Amino acid sequence: MKKTSTLFTAMAFLAFTSTTVAQTKEESHAALTAHHNKVKEHAKAISTGESKSKEEHIKRATEAAKSLEEAKTAHENLKKTIPEKHKLLVKTHHEAIEKHHADATIHLNALNEELKKTSYDETKVKEHAKKLHESIDKAEKEHQALKEKTKK
């Protein structure tokens, strides 16, 4: 009897904690968009010259990296909230988002490598930031198309 009550308590705890952490589809969509926007904000600041010093570039690139990782996590969470009836319909959108996130990671890594140099090339830094912004913009467009297809 004691084993049964302990098992029941453990199962109830797991059920409770998973329901408090789980996000709805709408919350997942909002989180992904917010993270994409943060990456784009930091990348744009570098690419347009708003960010002026190497230290500012590094700070912005670090923040963009955090937001990109959060976007990847938000996308994984979103995939879990999509109803079964829509999963096949939006598979290509998920794949495209993942591709754009991978491209963004490549551009972010190139940006960071350039910033590690003692005498970095400002033009290259801005170009990598611009490509990062473009990749995330494409990911967000795919996300909006996915969102539209799963409204019902």
Side-chain angles (χ1 to χ4, degrees), residues 6-68:
T6 304
L7 180 62
F8 177 75
T9 304
M11 296 296 279
F13 177 76
L14 286 174
F16 175 73
T17 56
S18 65
T19 55
T20 58
V21 174
Q23 289 184 317
T24 66
K25 183 176 69 166
E26 291 74 21
E27 290 169 333
S28 296
H29 280 303
L32 183 55
T33 296
H35 296 308
H36 282 163
N37 288 339
K38 276 293 189 190
V39 175
K40 291 192 306 183
E41 172 190 323
H42 293 297
K44 184 177 180 183
I46 296 170
S47 69
T48 62
E50 179 186 329
S51 172
K52 304 229 182 272
S53 69
K54 183 176 182 176
E55 292 74 26
E56 283 183 85
H57 294 337
I58 291 170
K59 181 180 174 189
R60 293 275 191 177
T62 301
E63 290 301 316
K66 288 178 190 174
S67 294
L68 179 56

Side-chain angles (χ1 to χ4, degrees), residues 32-33 35-37 39-40 43 68 71 75 92-105 107 127 129-147:
L32 183 55
T33 296
H35 296 308
H36 282 163
N37 288 339
V39 175
K40 291 192 306 183
L68 179 56
H75 181 239
T92 57
H93 294 295
H94 284 301
E95 290 169 350
I97 291 168
E98 289 167 359
K99 178 198 173 297
H100 295 308
H101 282 173
D103 290 345
T105 301
H107 299 306
E127 188 59 32
K130 181 180 176 190
K131 288 179 180 178
L132 170 61
H133 185 283
E134 290 169 355
S135 293
I136 293 300
D137 194 49
K138 290 175 187 176
E140 183 56 25
K141 286 177 181 168
E142 283 294 334
H143 170 231
Q144 292 305 316
L146 179 152
K147 186 176 177 181

